[in-house]
Every structure is written in C-alpha cells, then in structure tokens.
C-alpha cells in the first residue's frame, strides 16, 4: 500500500473511499507488483476481474465476476 503526498482539487472534491493500484507493472511507480498481480501469482484468485459501476456505488470483484450485476444489450 502507499499514500499520496499531494492531491489536486479535482480529487479533493470527489466522493471516493480510496485508491487501489491496479496498474500494469511497467506503469507502477516503484516497479513493484500491483496487489492484483500478487494475488494471481500466489494463486489466491484467477487472472480475471470485473467492475460494476453505478450512480450510487459500485463493486470490484477480483478473480471472477458477479452474474447478478451483468446487463446484456
């Protein structure tokens, strides 16, 4: 985990609970593995993730997906 030392006004005004690093290794600030990559490497989760975003919240599922949140067009 890490912390920020400066934040923009755009971030200050947003209504977020936190930040979780999901960047590719070559984009990682200090060259380390992101938490998701570590979990996959340690076989704690499958190499798949999904997100459900909505106006009043959302969900991040590591290692799978929630069928109940899927919509089909």
């Amino acid at each position: 985990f890490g912390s920020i030392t400066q934040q923009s006004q755009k971030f200050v005004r947003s209504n977020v609970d936190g930040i979780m690093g999901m960047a590719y290794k070559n984009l990682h600030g200090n060259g380390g593995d992101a938490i998701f990559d570590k979990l996959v490497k340690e076989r704690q989760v499958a190499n798949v993730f999904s997100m459900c975003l909505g106006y009043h919240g959302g969900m991040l599922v590591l290692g799978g997906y929630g069928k109940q949140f899927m919509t089909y067009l």
Side-chain angles (χ1 to χ4, degrees), residues 3 12-13 19-20 25-26 37 39 43 65-67 71:
S3 63
V12 172
R13 291 188 307 263
I19 298 172
M20 181 175 184
K25 188 169 185 157
N26 62 339
D37 292 333
L39 291 171
R43 297 178 183 244
Y65 60 94
K67 285 186 178 182
T71 58

Side-chain angles (χ1 to χ4, degrees), residues 33-62:
D33 288 332
I35 185 71
F36 180 67
D37 292 333
K38 287 182 181 182
L39 291 171
V40 170
K41 190 182 296 184
E42 294 171 3
R43 297 178 183 244
Q44 298 296 313
V45 297
N47 191 12
V48 61
F49 71 91
S50 61
M51 296 176 73
C52 173
L53 304 175
Y55 290 108
H56 302 290
M59 178 182 292
L60 170 66
V61 179
L62 301 178

Side-chain angles (χ1 to χ4, degrees), residues 9-31:
Q9 287 301 309
K10 184 175 182 179
F11 183 81
V12 172
R13 291 188 307 263
S14 66
N15 184 21
V16 297
D17 293 330
I19 298 172
M20 181 175 184
M22 294 284 288
Y24 292 111
K25 188 169 185 157
N26 62 339
L27 297 176
H28 196 277
N30 65 5

